[in-house]
C-alpha cells in the first residue's frame, strides 16, 4: 500500500532523489523535510539556507519556535521557486480561540513573507481545539493554507476531530522514532486517511540513539549511518520525517536516504526496538501536561 501511495521522483535539475506522499486532498508532499525546533531566529535563517542548498524542500516551523521570520528570510534569499517548497507551521495553544487563531494565521504568513502555507497544524490537542480548527477551515477555504492538520493528537482525539470537522485533518505530526513506533496510532491514521508525520525521528538523541548497536550494525551492512537507517525505516513505514540538524554535513547525511533499501529482516529487527513509550515529551503524563498548560494559561 505504501508503494502505491508513495512516488519516487528524480529531480532532473539536481542529483537528489525524493519520495513523495499524497495527502487526502491530492496535494503532493515530500516524505523527508527539515525541522527547526529549538533554533533561534537568526541561526534559523542560516540553517534553512543550508538545508535548501542541501536539497530539502519541506520546512517545518511553528509559531512557538519563534523563528518563522528566519525561515521566511532564508526562503526569500534562496531563489527556490515557491511551488517547489512545502512550508509547514503550527498554531500555538494560546492562540486557539477562534478570533486569535484567525489573526495568528495572518501573522504567521506575514512573518514568513508568504502568501500561503502548504500546511498549517494545530500544535497541541488542548484548549479550544474546535475554535482554532474553524479558523483553519476558513483559511483553507480562502487559500491561505493549502492543507490543514494537527499535531500531538492521540487516536481518540484524532477520531473525534475527523468525525465532527467540516474538513478532516490531512496529517497528524506525533513523536515517532524507532523506540516509539506508534503502530496503533499509525493504523488509526491510515484508517482515517490521515498522513502520519514523525517529530523527533532521532528520538532527539535519547537512549543513546546515535550509538544504538542494531542500527549501527545495519548501517554498516548498507554503507549508511545510524540516523539514515532510522529515517529509511520510518519512510518505508509510510511516515513523513523532519530530522533537525544545525550542521550542514549532517543535513546532507540526513537527506541521503533514497539510494538504499532495508530488507524485511532489517525491518523485523528494528520493529523489535519499539518500547511503545515516549522518550521525549509524554502527552499522556498528567504532571508534564499540567505543567505546560499552567505555563500557557499564565502567559495568556
Ligand atoms: P531530532 O530530529 O530527533 O534530533 C535532533 C538532534 O539530533 C539534534 O541534537 C541534532 O544535533 C542531532 N543530529 C541530527 N542529525 C544528526 C546526525 N546525522 N548525527 C548525529 N546527530 C545528529 O529532534 P527534533 O528536532 O526535536 O525533531 C525534529 C523536528 O520535529 C523539529 O525540529 C521540529 O520541526 C519537529 N518537532 C515537533 C514537535 C511537535 O510537538 N509537533 C516536537 C518536537 C519536534 P545537531 O543540531 O548538533 O546536529
Amino acid at each position: 500500500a505504501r508503494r502505491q501511495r508513495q512516488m519516487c521522483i528524480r529531480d532532473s535539475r539536481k542529483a537528489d532523489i525524493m519520495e513523495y506522499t499524497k495527502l487526502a486532498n491530492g496535494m503532493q508532499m515530500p516524505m523527508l523535510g527539515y525541522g527547526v525546533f529549538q533554533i533561534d531566529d537568526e541561526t534559523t535563517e542560516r540553517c534553512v539556507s543550508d538545508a535548501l542548498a542541501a536539497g530539502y524542500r519541506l520546512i517545518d516551523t511553528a509559531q512557538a519556535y519563534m523563528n518563522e521570520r528566519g525561515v521566511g528570510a532564508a526562503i526569500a534569499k534562496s531563489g527556490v521557486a515557491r511551488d517547489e517548497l512545502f512550508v509547514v507551521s503550527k498554531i500555538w495553544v494560546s492562540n486557539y480561540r477562534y478570533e486569535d487563531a484567525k489573526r495568528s494565521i495572518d501573522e504567521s504568513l506575514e512573518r514568513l513573507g508568504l502568501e500561503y502555507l502548504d500546511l498549517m497544524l494545530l500544535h497541541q490537542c488542548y484548549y479550544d481545539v474546535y475554535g482554532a480548527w474553524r479558523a483553519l477551515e476558513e483559511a483553507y477555504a480562502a487559500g491561505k493554507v493549502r492543507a490543514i492538520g494537527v499535531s500531538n493528537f492521540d487516536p481518540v482525539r484524532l477520531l473525534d476531530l475527523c468525525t465532527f470537522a467540516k474538513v478532516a485533518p490531512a496529517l497528524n505530526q506525533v513523536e515517532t522514532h524507532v523506540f516509539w513506533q506508534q503502530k496503533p496510532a499509525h493504523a488509526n491514521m491510515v484508517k482515517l486517511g490521515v498522513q502520519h508525520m514523525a517529530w523527533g525521528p532521532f528520538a532527539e538523541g535519547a537512549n543513546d540513539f546515535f550509538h544504538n548497536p542494531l542500527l549501527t550494525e545495519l548501517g554498516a551492512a548498507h554503507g549508511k549511518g545510524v540516523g539514515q537507517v532510522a529515517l529509511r525505516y520510518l519512510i518505508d513505514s509510510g511516515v513523513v520525517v523532519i530530522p533537525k540538524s544545525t550542521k550542514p554535513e549532517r543535513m546532507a547525511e540526513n537527506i541521503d536516504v533514497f539510494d538504499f533499501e532495508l530488507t524485511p529482516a532489517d525491518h523485523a529487527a528494528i520493529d523489535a526496538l519499539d518500547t511503545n513509550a515516549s522518550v521525549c515529551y509524554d502527552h499522556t503524563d498528567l504532571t508534564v501536561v499540567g505543567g505546560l498548560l499552567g505555563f500557557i494559561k499564565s502567559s495568556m
Side-chain angles (χ1 to χ4, degrees), residues 34-38 60-61 65 90 123-124 151-152 173 198-205 210 227 242-247 250 253-254 283:
Y34 179 69
V36 294
F37 182 39
Q38 291 173 323
D60 180 85
T61 182
Y65 301 171
K90 314 181 193 82
H123 204 145
Q124 305 272 353
S151 178
N152 298 307
Q173 182 184 118
W199 67 253
F202 298 149
E204 297 182 343
F210 288 104
I242 42 167
K244 171 209 138 186
S245 175
T246 50
K247 303 179 175 62
R250 288 181 179 172
E253 182 185 329
N254 297 343
H283 286 79

Short mmCIF file of all heavy atoms in Angstrom, two decimals, residues 34-38 60-61 65 90 123-124 151-152 173 198-205 210 227 242-247 250 253-254 283, ligand 1:
data_model
loop_
_atom_site.label_atom_id
_atom_site.label_comp_id
_atom_site.label_asym_id
_atom_site.label_seq_id
_atom_site.Cartn_x
_atom_site.Cartn_y
_atom_site.Cartn_z
N TYR A 34 12.91 19.22 6.74
CA TYR A 34 13.85 19.77 7.71
C TYR A 34 13.08 20.52 8.80
O TYR A 34 12.25 21.39 8.50
CB TYR A 34 14.80 20.73 6.97
CG TYR A 34 15.81 21.39 7.88
CD1 TYR A 34 16.83 20.64 8.45
CD2 TYR A 34 15.73 22.75 8.18
CE1 TYR A 34 17.75 21.23 9.31
CE2 TYR A 34 16.65 23.34 9.03
CZ TYR A 34 17.66 22.58 9.59
OH TYR A 34 18.56 23.17 10.44
N GLY A 35 13.34 20.19 10.07
CA GLY A 35 12.66 20.83 11.19
C GLY A 35 13.55 21.83 11.90
O GLY A 35 14.78 21.65 11.95
N VAL A 36 12.94 22.89 12.45
CA VAL A 36 13.75 23.98 13.04
C VAL A 36 13.42 24.26 14.52
O VAL A 36 13.55 25.38 14.99
CB VAL A 36 13.62 25.29 12.22
CG1 VAL A 36 14.22 25.11 10.84
CG2 VAL A 36 12.17 25.75 12.10
N PHE A 37 13.01 23.23 15.24
CA PHE A 37 12.72 23.37 16.68
C PHE A 37 14.00 23.73 17.43
O PHE A 37 15.08 23.21 17.12
CB PHE A 37 12.17 22.02 17.18
CG PHE A 37 11.76 21.99 18.64
CD1 PHE A 37 11.13 23.06 19.25
CD2 PHE A 37 12.00 20.84 19.40
CE1 PHE A 37 10.74 23.00 20.58
CE2 PHE A 37 11.61 20.76 20.73
CZ PHE A 37 10.98 21.85 21.32
N GLN A 38 13.87 24.63 18.40
CA GLN A 38 14.99 25.00 19.29
C GLN A 38 16.18 25.61 18.53
O GLN A 38 17.34 25.36 18.87
CB GLN A 38 15.45 23.79 20.11
CG GLN A 38 14.40 23.39 21.14
CD GLN A 38 14.72 22.10 21.87
OE1 GLN A 38 15.27 21.17 21.29
NE2 GLN A 38 14.38 22.05 23.14
N ASP A 60 9.70 22.62 8.35
CA ASP A 60 8.71 22.54 9.43
C ASP A 60 9.07 23.54 10.53
O ASP A 60 10.10 23.40 11.18
CB ASP A 60 8.69 21.12 10.01
CG ASP A 60 7.68 20.98 11.15
OD1 ASP A 60 6.49 20.74 10.86
OD2 ASP A 60 8.08 21.13 12.33
N THR A 61 8.20 24.56 10.71
CA THR A 61 8.40 25.51 11.80
C THR A 61 7.11 25.58 12.62
O THR A 61 6.22 24.74 12.46
CB THR A 61 8.83 26.90 11.24
OG1 THR A 61 9.05 27.80 12.34
CG2 THR A 61 7.79 27.50 10.32
N TYR A 65 8.06 28.24 17.97
CA TYR A 65 9.52 28.17 17.81
C TYR A 65 10.14 29.57 17.70
O TYR A 65 11.36 29.71 17.79
CB TYR A 65 9.93 27.36 16.57
CG TYR A 65 9.45 25.93 16.52
CD1 TYR A 65 9.60 25.16 15.37
CD2 TYR A 65 8.86 25.32 17.63
CE1 TYR A 65 9.15 23.84 15.31
CE2 TYR A 65 8.41 24.02 17.57
CZ TYR A 65 8.55 23.28 16.42
OH TYR A 65 8.11 21.98 16.35
N LYS A 90 2.68 25.85 12.68
CA LYS A 90 1.70 25.32 13.65
C LYS A 90 1.17 26.45 14.51
O LYS A 90 1.96 27.32 14.92
CB LYS A 90 2.36 24.27 14.57
CG LYS A 90 3.21 23.25 13.84
CD LYS A 90 3.83 22.23 14.78
CE LYS A 90 4.91 21.43 14.06
NZ LYS A 90 6.23 22.07 13.96
N HIS A 123 -0.91 22.80 17.04
CA HIS A 123 0.31 22.24 17.62
C HIS A 123 0.03 21.19 18.71
O HIS A 123 0.78 20.25 18.89
CB HIS A 123 1.15 23.39 18.21
CG HIS A 123 2.61 23.11 18.32
ND1 HIS A 123 3.57 24.06 18.12
CD2 HIS A 123 3.29 21.97 18.60
CE1 HIS A 123 4.76 23.53 18.27
NE2 HIS A 123 4.62 22.26 18.57
N GLN A 124 -1.07 21.41 19.44
CA GLN A 124 -1.39 20.51 20.57
C GLN A 124 -2.90 20.26 20.59
O GLN A 124 -3.66 21.00 19.98
CB GLN A 124 -0.99 21.15 21.90
CG GLN A 124 0.47 21.58 21.98
CD GLN A 124 1.39 20.47 22.46
OE1 GLN A 124 0.90 19.41 22.86
NE2 GLN A 124 2.68 20.71 22.43
N SER A 151 -1.23 18.16 15.38
CA SER A 151 -0.01 17.58 15.93
C SER A 151 -0.30 17.14 17.37
O SER A 151 -1.06 17.82 18.08
CB SER A 151 1.11 18.62 15.92
OG SER A 151 2.27 18.09 16.50
N ASN A 152 0.30 16.05 17.76
CA ASN A 152 0.17 15.53 19.12
C ASN A 152 -1.26 15.15 19.48
O ASN A 152 -1.68 15.28 20.63
CB ASN A 152 0.74 16.54 20.13
CG ASN A 152 2.21 16.78 19.89
OD1 ASN A 152 2.99 15.85 19.84
ND2 ASN A 152 2.59 18.04 19.73
N GLN A 173 1.08 15.12 13.20
CA GLN A 173 2.53 15.05 13.50
C GLN A 173 2.70 14.66 14.96
O GLN A 173 2.30 15.40 15.85
CB GLN A 173 3.18 16.42 13.23
CG GLN A 173 4.67 16.41 13.47
CD GLN A 173 5.33 17.79 13.30
OE1 GLN A 173 5.90 18.31 14.24
NE2 GLN A 173 5.25 18.35 12.11
N ALA A 198 6.40 12.21 11.55
CA ALA A 198 7.14 11.99 12.79
C ALA A 198 7.81 13.28 13.25
O ALA A 198 8.47 13.94 12.46
CB ALA A 198 8.23 10.95 12.55
N TRP A 199 7.66 13.63 14.53
CA TRP A 199 8.61 14.59 15.09
C TRP A 199 9.61 13.80 15.95
O TRP A 199 9.31 12.71 16.42
CB TRP A 199 7.95 15.75 15.81
CG TRP A 199 7.17 15.55 17.09
CD1 TRP A 199 5.81 15.60 17.23
CD2 TRP A 199 7.70 15.38 18.43
NE1 TRP A 199 5.45 15.43 18.54
CE2 TRP A 199 6.59 15.30 19.31
CE3 TRP A 199 8.98 15.28 18.97
CZ2 TRP A 199 6.73 15.13 20.70
CZ3 TRP A 199 9.12 15.10 20.34
CH2 TRP A 199 8.00 15.02 21.18
N GLY A 200 10.82 14.38 16.08
CA GLY A 200 11.86 13.68 16.84
C GLY A 200 12.24 12.35 16.22
O GLY A 200 12.35 11.34 16.94
N PRO A 201 12.47 12.28 14.90
CA PRO A 201 12.74 10.97 14.27
C PRO A 201 14.03 10.32 14.77
O PRO A 201 14.20 9.11 14.60
CB PRO A 201 12.84 11.32 12.78
CG PRO A 201 13.22 12.77 12.75
CD PRO A 201 12.52 13.39 13.92
N PHE A 202 14.91 11.12 15.42
CA PHE A 202 16.13 10.55 16.03
C PHE A 202 15.94 10.44 17.54
O PHE A 202 16.92 10.35 18.28
CB PHE A 202 17.34 11.44 15.74
CG PHE A 202 17.71 11.59 14.28
CD1 PHE A 202 18.30 12.75 13.81
CD2 PHE A 202 17.47 10.55 13.38
CE1 PHE A 202 18.65 12.88 12.47
CE2 PHE A 202 17.81 10.68 12.04
CZ PHE A 202 18.40 11.85 11.59
N ALA A 203 14.69 10.48 18.00
CA ALA A 203 14.38 10.42 19.43
C ALA A 203 15.12 11.54 20.18
O ALA A 203 15.40 11.40 21.37
CB ALA A 203 14.73 9.05 20.01
N GLU A 204 15.43 12.61 19.44
CA GLU A 204 16.19 13.74 19.99
C GLU A 204 17.48 13.24 20.66
O GLU A 204 17.97 13.83 21.61
CB GLU A 204 15.33 14.57 20.95
CG GLU A 204 14.13 15.22 20.23
CD GLU A 204 13.26 16.11 21.11
OE1 GLU A 204 13.36 16.02 22.34
OE2 GLU A 204 12.47 16.90 20.54
N GLY A 205 18.00 12.12 20.18
CA GLY A 205 19.28 11.59 20.71
C GLY A 205 19.11 10.75 21.98
O GLY A 205 20.10 10.24 22.51
N PHE A 210 22.23 7.54 18.72
CA PHE A 210 23.22 7.54 17.65
C PHE A 210 24.29 6.45 17.81
O PHE A 210 25.13 6.29 16.93
CB PHE A 210 23.85 8.93 17.49
CG PHE A 210 22.89 9.93 16.89
CD1 PHE A 210 22.26 10.89 17.68
CD2 PHE A 210 22.57 9.89 15.53
CE1 PHE A 210 21.36 11.80 17.12
CE2 PHE A 210 21.66 10.78 14.97
CZ PHE A 210 21.06 11.74 15.77
N GLY A 227 21.45 7.25 11.80
CA GLY A 227 20.30 8.13 11.51
C GLY A 227 19.68 7.80 10.17
O GLY A 227 18.44 7.80 10.04
N ILE A 242 11.10 14.65 9.60
CA ILE A 242 11.67 16.01 9.53
C ILE A 242 12.85 16.12 10.49
O ILE A 242 12.80 16.84 11.48
CB ILE A 242 10.60 17.08 9.85
CG1 ILE A 242 9.72 16.64 11.04
CG2 ILE A 242 9.76 17.42 8.64
CD1 ILE A 242 8.84 17.76 11.61
N PRO A 243 13.95 15.39 10.20
CA PRO A 243 15.11 15.46 11.09
C PRO A 243 15.65 16.88 11.17
O PRO A 243 15.60 17.62 10.20
CB PRO A 243 16.12 14.53 10.41
CG PRO A 243 15.73 14.53 8.96
CD PRO A 243 14.23 14.63 8.97
N LYS A 244 16.19 17.20 12.34
CA LYS A 244 16.80 18.52 12.52
C LYS A 244 18.29 18.38 12.78
O LYS A 244 18.71 17.55 13.58
CB LYS A 244 16.14 19.23 13.70
CG LYS A 244 16.86 20.51 14.10
CD LYS A 244 16.71 20.80 15.56
CE LYS A 244 17.98 21.29 16.17
NZ LYS A 244 17.88 21.44 17.63
N SER A 245 19.09 19.19 12.11
CA SER A 245 20.48 19.37 12.49
C SER A 245 20.88 20.79 12.14
O SER A 245 20.41 21.34 11.14
CB SER A 245 21.40 18.40 11.75
OG SER A 245 22.75 18.72 12.07
N THR A 246 21.72 21.39 12.97
CA THR A 246 22.21 22.73 12.67
C THR A 246 23.48 22.66 11.82
O THR A 246 24.01 23.69 11.43
CB THR A 246 22.52 23.47 13.99
OG1 THR A 246 23.35 22.60 14.80
CG2 THR A 246 21.25 23.82 14.74
N LYS A 247 23.96 21.43 11.56
CA LYS A 247 25.26 21.27 10.87
C LYS A 247 25.07 20.83 9.41
O LYS A 247 24.47 19.78 9.16
CB LYS A 247 26.10 20.24 11.62
CG LYS A 247 26.31 20.63 13.08
CD LYS A 247 27.11 19.62 13.86
CE LYS A 247 27.40 20.11 15.27
NZ LYS A 247 26.18 20.35 16.10
N ARG A 250 25.68 17.18 8.48
CA ARG A 250 24.63 16.26 8.95
C ARG A 250 23.34 16.43 8.14
O ARG A 250 22.63 15.46 7.90
CB ARG A 250 24.36 16.48 10.44
CG ARG A 250 25.48 15.97 11.32
CD ARG A 250 25.15 16.18 12.78
NE ARG A 250 26.19 15.68 13.65
CZ ARG A 250 26.21 15.88 14.97
NH1 ARG A 250 25.25 16.57 15.55
NH2 ARG A 250 27.18 15.38 15.71
N GLU A 253 23.84 14.40 5.17
CA GLU A 253 23.74 12.97 5.50
C GLU A 253 22.28 12.57 5.69
O GLU A 253 21.83 11.53 5.19
CB GLU A 253 24.54 12.72 6.80
CG GLU A 253 24.57 11.28 7.25
CD GLU A 253 25.27 11.12 8.61
OE1 GLU A 253 26.20 11.90 8.91
OE2 GLU A 253 24.86 10.22 9.36
N ASN A 254 21.52 13.40 6.39
CA ASN A 254 20.15 13.03 6.75
C ASN A 254 19.20 12.97 5.55
O ASN A 254 18.16 12.31 5.61
CB ASN A 254 19.59 13.99 7.80
CG ASN A 254 20.37 13.92 9.11
OD1 ASN A 254 21.10 12.96 9.36
ND2 ASN A 254 20.23 14.94 9.95
N HIS A 283 2.71 13.19 26.14
CA HIS A 283 1.45 13.94 26.17
C HIS A 283 0.36 13.24 26.97
O HIS A 283 -0.76 13.73 27.04
CB HIS A 283 0.95 14.20 24.74
CG HIS A 283 1.75 15.25 24.03
ND1 HIS A 283 2.98 15.01 23.47
CD2 HIS A 283 1.51 16.57 23.81
CE1 HIS A 283 3.45 16.11 22.93
NE2 HIS A 283 2.58 17.08 23.13
P1 LIG B 1 15.51 15.04 16.19
O1 LIG B 1 15.44 15.49 14.78
O2 LIG B 1 15.04 13.69 16.57
O3 LIG B 1 17.01 15.15 16.74
C1 LIG B 1 17.75 16.31 16.63
C2 LIG B 1 19.10 16.08 17.32
O4 LIG B 1 19.87 15.13 16.57
C3 LIG B 1 19.92 17.34 17.41
O5 LIG B 1 20.53 17.35 18.69
C4 LIG B 1 20.98 17.18 16.31
O6 LIG B 1 22.17 17.83 16.71
C5 LIG B 1 21.15 15.68 16.27
N1 LIG B 1 21.53 15.18 14.93
C6 LIG B 1 20.88 15.43 13.77
N2 LIG B 1 21.42 14.75 12.74
C7 LIG B 1 22.46 14.05 13.27
C8 LIG B 1 23.40 13.16 12.70
N3 LIG B 1 23.36 12.83 11.40
N4 LIG B 1 24.35 12.62 13.53
C9 LIG B 1 24.37 12.93 14.85
N5 LIG B 1 23.50 13.79 15.44
C10 LIG B 1 22.54 14.33 14.65
O7 LIG B 1 14.72 16.07 17.15
P2 LIG B 1 13.76 17.32 16.96
O8 LIG B 1 14.49 18.49 16.43
O9 LIG B 1 13.05 17.51 18.23
O10 LIG B 1 12.69 16.83 15.88
C11 LIG B 1 12.72 17.16 14.53
C12 LIG B 1 11.70 18.23 14.20
O11 LIG B 1 10.39 17.83 14.59
C13 LIG B 1 11.88 19.56 14.96
O12 LIG B 1 12.96 20.33 14.50
C14 LIG B 1 10.53 20.18 14.78
O13 LIG B 1 10.40 20.76 13.49
C15 LIG B 1 9.61 18.97 14.94
N6 LIG B 1 9.10 18.82 16.33
C16 LIG B 1 7.75 18.95 16.54
C17 LIG B 1 7.22 18.78 17.81
C18 LIG B 1 5.74 18.92 17.99
O14 LIG B 1 5.27 18.99 19.15
N7 LIG B 1 4.95 18.96 16.93
C19 LIG B 1 8.05 18.49 18.90
C20 LIG B 1 9.42 18.36 18.68
C21 LIG B 1 9.93 18.50 17.38
P3 LIG B 1 22.89 18.95 15.78
O15 LIG B 1 21.88 20.03 15.52
O16 LIG B 1 24.03 19.38 16.64
O17 LIG B 1 23.31 18.23 14.53
#
